[in-house]
Structures are given as C-alpha cells and as structure tokens.
C-alpha cells in the first residue's frame, strides 16, 4: 500500500477522522506516515495553545549565576537582573501605598454613557438611553467577548501551518532535496579494521575462488573472514593457516557459511602462518589435513 497523502495526514492532525480501516492499519505499521503525523500534531499544538493559559516560571538566581559564569561577565554584573527588577517594583508599590494612604480621597469621574449605533450626536437623554444595548430593530444585542473569534483564528492559522509543513515535507521527499521522515539514525558503532588479506585461488581440479580477510576488532582481538564460491566437493570444507614451507598448520574450523568468520587465538603469529587453506575433508573421523586443498592464498599486510 502506498503512503498516505499530505491532506489526509493534515486532517488527522487537526482531529478529523479521515482514514478508512485499511489506511488506519497502514498508519499503525508505517514508520514514515506515523512519524509525519506526529510532527504535524506537534505543529497543531504549538499553533493553537492559548498564551493566556500558559504559566511561565520565573527563573531563580541559580540560572543567572550559571549564565554569568558561562559568559565570563564582570563581578559588578553578578546580581540577578530579575532580582533588581523585583526589588524596584516592590519599592514602587510601597511608595504608592504610602502616598495613597496620606492623600485626600478623590471622587471618581462619572462614566460616559455609550452612544447607540445610528444615533446622531446631540439627541436627547431619553433617546440615547433607549438606544443603548439595542439594534435598529429593537432586538437585544449580545455583547461579544472575542473568545470564539480568537479560537477560530487560531484553528485557521494551525490548519495553514499544518498544510504548509506537509507541502514542504512532500516537496523535499519527492524532489530528493531533503531527508526522509523517519527515526533518527543511531550513532555508528566502531567497525573492524582489515589488517591483512589474501586472494584464494583454486587448486587441482577445483574451481572455487574467494578471499580471506584478517580483521582487528575494536576490543583488540582478531578474526579471519573467509569467502569462497561454491563448488562440487565430496566432504566438508575446513579452514587452516599454514607455515610457508607447509610443515606446520593450525585448523580454525569448518566453513559452513558464507562468509565464514573464525576467531584467531591471541598467541597465533600470522607471520609464522601466512597461508590460508581451505580443504575438502572426508567424514572419516581423522582430524588431520586430508591433503586435498580446494583453494589457497597467502596473506599480505594492509598498508
């Protein structure tokens, strides 16, 4: 099934049920679509939050002390600016309270009577009083608080942000100019380092070819990685390292996978055993080399 389109995901982010059961199943198991929906939902929340409902915490003196130290400011700037501002406000409030207590009470002015819509200036008091709070038809006027209008404006702005974000995301992915939505990549683990290798050439009547790599792992240990193409054999394949004069050899194990990975003993000096050999071993219970080699190569160190 193809990915969900941007309009569907935008409607879902706005809380609209816009998916069929099949599309909902796709969303549940698709990391790309679910990741895009999550990003759009975060955008909606950020665009529709009511600033009046957000209570901001006042930073404490420790915050300014950390900023002061990080920026290397002078000692005369060590005092928290917010503390100075709070102290000044408290002093001003105290002064106002003192002045108010000693001053002569002042009679508040009489509020102006609002003028009704459509009433000419200079009309009589009775006409003005009758017009206040009514329309030209005489029906009661409901005062507007502005809350509903602000809510719809916020939702419209959120919808525009969601659609715009979805369009940008789609354009980047279609044109190949941006990263695909999905989980963040995890840090790359240390990789083995190839320190020696050997091409494996066929011997006698065999045709299998391949290569052998000596890798040094991040923990300092070594391993031999053997890759060899398939070929007709009568027994099983065994991997050896052999001395240059073929008088000494060490078995590393059976090659039953592609590739085969064999741990090299810490005390094994590959300068004394530079030849990698893969033999065809019969099922006879004899652990010795069969003298029937399939392929062989000599290790050379990497520069």
């Amino acid at each position: 099934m193809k990915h969900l389109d941007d309009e569907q995901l935008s409607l879902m982010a706005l809380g609209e049920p816009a998916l069929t059961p099949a599309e909902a199943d796709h969303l549940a198991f698709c990391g790309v679509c679910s990741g895009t929906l999550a990003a759009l939902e975060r955008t909606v929340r950020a665009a529709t939050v009511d600033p009046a409902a957000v209570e901001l915490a006042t930073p404490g003196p420790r915050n300014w002390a950390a900023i002061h130290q990080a920026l290397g400011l002078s000692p005369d700037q060590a005092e928290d600016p917010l503390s100075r501002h709070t102290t000044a406000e408290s002093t001003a409030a105290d002064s106002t309270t003192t002045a108010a207590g000693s001053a002569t009470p002042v009679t508040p002015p009489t509020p102006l009577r609002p003028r009704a819509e459509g009433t000419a200036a200079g009309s009589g008091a009775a006409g003005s009083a009758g017009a206040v709070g009514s329309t030209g038809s005489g029906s009661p006027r409901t005062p507007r608080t502005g809350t509903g209008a602000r809510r719809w404006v916020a939702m419209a702005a959120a919808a525009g942000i969601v659609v715009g974000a979805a369009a940008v995301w789609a354009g980047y992915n279609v044109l190949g100019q941006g990263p695909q939505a999905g989980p963040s990549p995890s840090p790359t683990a240390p990789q083995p380092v190839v320190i020696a290798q050997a091409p494996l050439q066929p011997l006698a009547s065999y045709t299998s070819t391949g290569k052998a790599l000596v890798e040094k792992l991040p923990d300092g240990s070594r391993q031999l990685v053997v890759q060899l193409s398939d070929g007709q054999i009568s027994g099983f394949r065994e991997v050896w390292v052999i001395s240059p004069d073929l008088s000494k050899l060490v078995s590393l194990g059976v090659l039953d996978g592609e590739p085969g990975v064999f741990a090299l003993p810490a005390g094994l000096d590959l300068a004394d055993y530079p030849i990698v050999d893969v033999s065809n071993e019969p099922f006879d219970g004899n652990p010795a080399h069969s003298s029937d080699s399939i392929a062989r190569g000599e290790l050379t160190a990497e520069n």
Side-chain angles (χ1 to χ4, degrees):
M1 182 178 180
K2 66 178 182 179
H3 293 302
L4 303 179
D5 60 41
D6 303 329
E7 183 178 357
Q8 290 175 301
L9 294 174
S10 299
L11 291 174
M12 288 290 295
L14 290 171
E16 297 291 336
L19 301 182
T20 64
E23 292 169 337
D25 290 340
H26 172 81
L27 179 63
F29 294 98
C30 177
V32 174
C33 293
S34 60
T36 303
L37 177 60
L40 294 175
E41 288 175 337
R42 289 194 296 270
T43 304
V44 170
R45 288 195 295 271
T48 57
V49 65
D50 185 1
V54 178
E55 183 178 356
L56 300 179
T58 302
R62 293 191 303 273
N63 297 78
W64 175 250
I67 295 173
H68 184 275
Q69 181 179 4
L71 298 180
L73 301 179
S74 60
D76 58 352
Q77 295 177 306
E79 184 181 358
D80 187 353
L82 292 180
S83 299
R84 294 198 301 268
H85 182 67
T86 303
T87 302
E89 286 183 345
S90 300
T91 303
D94 294 341
S95 300
T96 303
T97 303
T98 302
S102 59
T104 303
V106 178
T107 303
T110 303
L112 296 177
R113 178 177 297 166
R115 180 187 300 168
E117 295 179 6
T119 303
S123 299
S128 299
V132 172
S134 65
T135 63
S137 61
S139 301
R141 180 187 300 271
T142 302
R144 294 187 178 183
T145 62
T147 304
R150 288 197 299 270
R151 181 182 297 110
W152 282 108
V153 169
M155 291 186 66
I161 293 173
V162 168
V163 173
V168 171
W169 174 85
Y172 268 73
N173 285 284
V174 170
L175 300 177
Q177 297 178 354
Q180 296 289 333
S184 301
S186 57
T188 303
Q191 299 298 312
V193 178
V194 177
I195 58 177
Q197 62 177 316
L200 300 178
Q201 301 297 334
L203 298 178
S205 60
Y206 296 101
T207 59
S208 298
T209 60
K211 64 179 178 179
L213 304 176
V214 178
E215 295 180 340
K216 185 175 182 179
L217 303 181
D219 62 1
S221 61
R222 300 169 303 163
Q223 64 185 17
L224 181 69
V225 181
V226 178
Q227 295 176 322
L228 191 67
S229 60
D230 292 332
Q232 292 293 331
I233 59 174
S234 57
F236 62 91
R237 299 179 298 179
E238 189 168 357
V239 177
W240 311 75
V241 286
I242 307 177
S243 61
D245 60 1
L246 307 182
S247 63
K248 297 183 295 183
L249 67 168
V250 176
S251 173
L252 297 179
V254 176
L255 178 61
D256 57 0
E258 183 62 31
V261 181
F262 306 92
L264 292 172
L268 181 63
D269 189 352
L270 291 178
D272 297 331
Y273 298 90
I275 297 175
V276 178
D277 180 275
V278 181
S279 64
N280 178 17
E281 296 294 329
F283 297 97
D284 59 1
N286 187 351
H289 195 290
S290 65
S291 300
D292 184 12
S293 294
I294 301 171
R296 185 179 294 170
E298 185 170 357
L299 293 168
T300 55
E302 290 289 288
N303 295 328

